[in-house]
C-alpha cells in the first residue's frame, strides 16, 4: 500500500481575507429581541432562526433605569442564555444598553455614573458579550430630552457625549477588548428647536458631538465604532436610490457623506473620524402581509410606511447588503427584525411571519448573506481579496487534493515530479466548502504541488503555495 505524507498547505481557515472594504469579514445579522429567553433552550430556538438566514451576529437590548447600578439576577440569566446560545450557533452578540424613553434620560452626573456602572457590570458578569452599543437614537426626543437648550443650541449631543465617555471608560476598565459603539442614530431629524417634534439629524448630531469632544480636551476616544440606523424614507425606496446629497438625512447610499462628516468632526483628535468603523445596527424593509397570514396580525398599517411585496423586500435587503459590502469602513449590517412584530403599527420587516413561517424571500436573503461571506455578492472598486485555504493531499484510488478556501477561490493546481509536469487542474471552490480534486494514481517518488488561488470576483494578488510530498 502506498503511503502519502498529508500536506497542510497555506494557513488555517478563519484568517480574514485581505480587503480594504467591509467585504466578507463584515458581520451580517439581525436586531432581534426575541432571543431574550428565560431558558437556554428557548434562546437557542430563536437563535436558530437567525442562522437559517445565514446570520452570524445578533443585536439585542437591555434597558437601564435610574437608580440601577447592576442588572438583576433574572436579567443576567437571560443574557447568559443568549450568550451561550450564540456560542453554540457561532453568532456574535451586540448588546444595546439604553434608557427606556426620554423620561429616564441620564442627564446628571449621578445618572451617568449609574448607567456606566450598570453596563460595566454586564461586561463583568457575562464576558462572552463584549460588544456594547451605548444608548438608542439620542438624536430623537422619543429617547432623549432635552434635545435643545433655551438658546436653540444642541443639548442632546453634549449630554450624550458625557454619557458615552463615562461608559467607555467603565467598559474599558473591565477589559480593553470590549468594543464600544456610539451613536445608534436615527437617519432623520429636523434640527428645529421650534418644531412640535424636537429632533436632530444625524448630520447635525455628529457635528455637534465632534465639537463637544474637541472642546472637552479629552485625550481618549469615546467610541470604537459608530452605530447608525440607515432606514430609507419609507419601505418603497430602493437602497441604491436612497441618496440624500442635499439633505441632512443619512442612509446606506450616503456612505461617502457620512465618512466625510466623521472626518470633519473628529480627525486630528484622540477619536477616530474618517477611519472609524461603522455598524448599521438597524435596517428594515416592511413587507405586505398576505391574506392567508392576516389573522396573525392586529392593528392597522400606517400609510407612511408603504410596504412592498416579499420579492421586493428580498431584493432591497440584497441591495443593502451589496452596498454595505463595498463600503470600506463598514463592519456590520443588521436586519430589523428576524420575525415580524404582530402589531401592524410596528415592524413587519422580518423574513419570518409572526408564527415563524418563513416568507418567500428567505432564500433571496440567505443567498445574499452567503455570497457576502464568500466575497462574491458584489464587485467593489478597490476591493482586493486574497483567499486563505487549507489543502490536503490524500492517498487513495485515486489520489486527491482536498481544497477548502475561506472565501470563493479560483484555483490552479500544478503537480510536478522533478522538473516534469504530471498534471494541471483548474476550477473554482465555494468558500467554506471542501472541493475534492482528483489526481489519479501516483507512482512512488517525490512530488511538488503548486497551488495558485485567486478571488474570482474581487481579485487581489494571487496566493501561491509550494509544498513537497513523497509517495512510497
Amino acid at each position: 500500500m502506498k503511503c502519502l505524507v498529508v500536506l497542510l498547505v497555506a494557513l488555517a481557515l478563519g484568517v480574514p481575507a485581505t480587503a480594504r472594504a467591509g467585504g466578507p469579514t463584515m458581520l451580517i445579522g439581525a436586531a432581534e429581541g426575541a432571543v431574550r429567553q428565560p431558558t437556554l433552550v428557548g434562546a437557542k430556538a430563536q437563535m436558530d432562526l437567525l442562522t437559517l438566514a445565514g446570520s452570524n451576529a445578533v443585536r439585542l437590548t437591555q434597558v437601564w433605569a435610574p437608580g440601577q447600578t447592576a442588572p438583576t439576577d433574572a436579567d443576567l440569566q437571560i443574557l447568559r442564555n443568549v450568550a451561550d446560545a450564540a456560542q453554540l450557533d457561532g453568532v456574535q452578540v451586540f448588546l444595546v444598553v439604553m434608557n427606556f424613553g426620554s423620561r429616564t434620560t441620564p442627564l446628571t452626573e449621578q445618572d451617568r455614573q449609574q448607567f456606566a456602572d450598570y453596563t460595566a457590570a454586564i461586561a463583568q458578569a457575562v464576558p462572552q458579550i463584549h460588544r456594547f452599543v451605548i444608548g438608542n437614537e439620542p438624536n430623537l426626543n422619543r429617547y432623549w430630552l432635552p434635545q435643545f437648550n433655551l438658546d436653540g443650541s444642541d443639548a442632546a449631543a453634549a449630554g450624550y457625549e458625557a454619557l458615552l465617555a463615562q461608559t467607555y471608560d467603565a467598559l474599558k476598565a473591565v477589559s480593553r477588548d470590549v468594543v464600544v459603539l456610539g451613536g445608534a442614530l436615527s437617519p432623520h431629524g429636523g434640527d428645529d428647536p421650534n418644531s412640535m417634534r424636537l429632533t436632530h439629524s444625524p448630520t447635525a448630531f455628529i457635528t455637534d458631538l465632534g465639537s463637544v469632544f474637541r472642546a472637552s480636551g479629552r485625550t481618549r476616544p469615546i467610541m470604537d465604532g459608530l452605530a447608525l440606523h440607515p432606514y430609507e424614507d419609507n419601505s418603497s425606496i430602493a437602497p441604491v436610490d436612497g441618496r440624500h446629497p442635499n439633505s441632512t438625512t443619512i442612509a446606506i447610499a450616503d456612505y461617502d457623506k457620512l465618512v466625510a462628516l466623521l472626518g470633519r468632526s473628529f480627525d486630528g483628535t484622540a477619536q477616530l473620524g474618517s477611519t472609524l468603523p461603522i455598524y448599521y445596527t438597524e435596517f428594515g424593509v416592511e413587507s405586505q402581509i398576505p391574506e392567508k397570514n392576516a389573522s396573525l396580525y392586529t392593528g392597522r398599517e400606517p400609510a407612511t410606511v408603504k410596504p412592498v411585496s416579499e420579492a421586493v423586500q428580498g431584493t432591497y435587503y440584497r441591495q443593502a447588503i451589496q452596498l454595505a459590502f463595498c463600503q470600506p469602513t463598514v463592519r456590520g449590517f443588521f436586519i430589523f427584525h428576524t420575525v415580524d412584530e404582530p402589531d401592524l403599527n410596528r415592524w413587519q420587516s422580518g423574513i419570518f411571519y409572526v408564527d415563524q413561517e418563513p416568507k418567500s424571500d428567505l432564500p433571496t436573503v440567505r443567498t445574499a448573506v452567503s455570497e457576502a461571506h464568500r466575497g462574491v455578492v458584489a464587485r467593489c472598486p478597490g476591493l482586493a481579496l486574497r483567499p486563505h485555504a487549507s489543502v490536503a493531499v490524500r492517498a487513495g484510488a485515486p489520489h486527491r487534493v482536498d481544497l477548502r478556501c475561506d472565501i470563493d477561490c479560483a484555483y490552479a493546481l500544478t503537480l510536478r515530479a522533478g522538473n516534469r509536469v504530471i498534471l494541471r487542474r483548474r476550477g473554482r471552490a465555494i468558500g467554506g466548502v471542501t472541493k475534492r480534486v482528483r489526481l489519479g494514481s501516483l507512482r512512488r517518488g517525490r512530488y511538488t504541488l503548486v497551488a495558485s488561488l485567486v478571488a474570482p470576483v474581487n481579485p487581489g494578488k494571487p496566493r501561491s503555495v509550494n509544498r513537497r510530498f513523497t509517495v512510497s
Side-chain angles (χ1 to χ4, degrees), residues 145-164:
L145 280 178
Q147 284 286 310
F148 295 91
N149 295 308
L150 293 178
D151 62 359
S153 60
D154 190 341
Y160 179 72
E161 191 274 347
L163 176 70
L164 184 56

Side-chain angles (χ1 to χ4, degrees), residues 353-390:
Y353 299 113
V354 171
D355 62 355
Q356 300 185 2
E357 175 193 350
K359 294 181 181 179
S360 60
D361 60 336
L362 173 61
T364 300
V365 177
R366 182 169 54 211
T367 298
V369 174
S370 173
E371 289 181 353
H373 294 326
R374 290 163 45 200
V376 296
V377 74
R379 295 184 183 275
C380 310
L383 177 58
L385 301 177
R386 299 189 70 198
H388 286 80
S390 65

Side-chain angles (χ1 to χ4, degrees), residues 140-472:
L140 300 186
N141 61 342
R142 179 179 180 182
Y143 296 103
W144 193 285
L145 280 178
Q147 284 286 310
F148 295 91
N149 295 308
L150 293 178
D151 62 359
S153 60
D154 190 341
Y160 179 72
E161 191 274 347
L163 176 70
L164 184 56
Q166 205 156 334
T167 308
Y168 180 96
D169 291 344
L171 285 170
K172 293 296 184 178
V174 175
S175 172
R176 293 183 179 180
D177 294 332
V178 171
V179 177
V180 182
L181 305 186
L185 299 173
S186 167
H188 316 291
D191 302 323
D192 182 0
N194 299 311
S195 172
M196 292 293 292
R197 184 168 185 250
L198 301 175
T199 62
H200 281 90
S201 69
T203 299
F205 194 92
I206 291 172
T207 299
D208 295 341
L209 193 68
S211 296
V212 172
F213 181 80
R214 289 179 186 275
S216 73
R218 182 177 167 91
T219 58
R220 300 185 69 194
I222 54 176
M223 55 183 165
D224 301 314
L226 178 80
L228 180 71
H229 304 165
Y231 293 98
E232 302 302 334
D233 296 338
N234 61 68
S235 288
S236 71
I237 298 176
V240 295
D241 297 328
R243 289 181 172 83
H244 302 84
N246 301 315
S247 80
T248 55
T249 293
I250 299 178
I252 296 177
D254 297 309
Y255 170 78
D256 290 341
K257 182 170 74 170
L258 174 58
V259 171
L261 172 64
L262 288 169
R264 291 193 301 271
S265 301
F266 294 108
D267 281 353
T269 73
Q271 174 61 58
L272 292 178
S274 54
T275 59
L276 182 67
I278 295 168
Y279 294 79
Y280 296 140
T281 48
E282 280 188 28
F283 179 81
V285 177
E286 295 205 51
S287 68
Q288 299 156 354
I289 304 304
E291 186 62 32
K292 67 181 181 67
N293 300 96
S295 63
L296 301 171
Y297 298 81
T298 61
R300 174 177 291 185
E301 187 79 69
T304 56
V305 171
K306 299 183 180 180
V308 297
S309 69
E310 291 174 16
V312 173
Q313 181 193 50
T315 298
Y316 286 2
Y317 279 145
R318 181 179 179 84
Q319 285 184 8
I321 290 170
Q322 288 174 317
L323 287 170
F325 178 88
C326 288
Q327 295 172 348
T329 56
V330 171
R331 297 292 177 263
F333 174 88
F334 293 77
I335 292 175
F336 185 92
H337 300 282
T338 304
V339 180
D340 282 353
E341 295 182 71
D343 185 350
L344 291 174
N345 195 41
R346 300 291 296 167
W347 282 87
Q348 288 71 57
S349 51
I351 48 181
F352 294 87
Y353 299 113
V354 171
D355 62 355
Q356 300 185 2
E357 175 193 350
K359 294 181 181 179
S360 60
D361 60 336
L362 173 61
T364 300
V365 177
R366 182 169 54 211
T367 298
V369 174
S370 173
E371 289 181 353
H373 294 326
R374 290 163 45 200
V376 296
V377 74
R379 295 184 183 275
C380 310
L383 177 58
L385 301 177
R386 299 189 70 198
H388 286 80
S390 65
V391 179
V393 181
R394 302 195 182 279
H399 295 84
R400 72 172 193 266
V401 173
D402 287 351
L403 169 68
R404 187 181 177 94
C405 294
D406 59 342
I407 60 174
D408 280 23
C409 63
Y411 62 85
L413 303 179
T414 302
L415 184 64
R416 290 189 175 91
N419 294 324
R420 185 166 56 94
V421 174
I422 302 299
L423 59 84
R424 300 182 193 274
R425 295 285 188 270
R426 293 181 179 272
R428 180 166 168 172
I430 295 174
V433 177
T434 299
K435 176 77 172 184
R436 291 185 172 181
V437 184
R438 297 163 67 95
L439 299 179
S441 297
L442 299 179
R443 298 179 178 180
R444 292 193 181 107
R446 295 182 178 180
Y447 295 86
T448 300
L449 177 72
V450 178
S452 179
L453 310 169
V454 65
V457 176
N458 294 287
K461 183 180 178 181
R463 189 179 300 279
S464 182
V465 181
N466 186 327
R467 292 293 185 270
R468 295 187 175 92
F469 64 94
T470 301
V471 175
S472 58

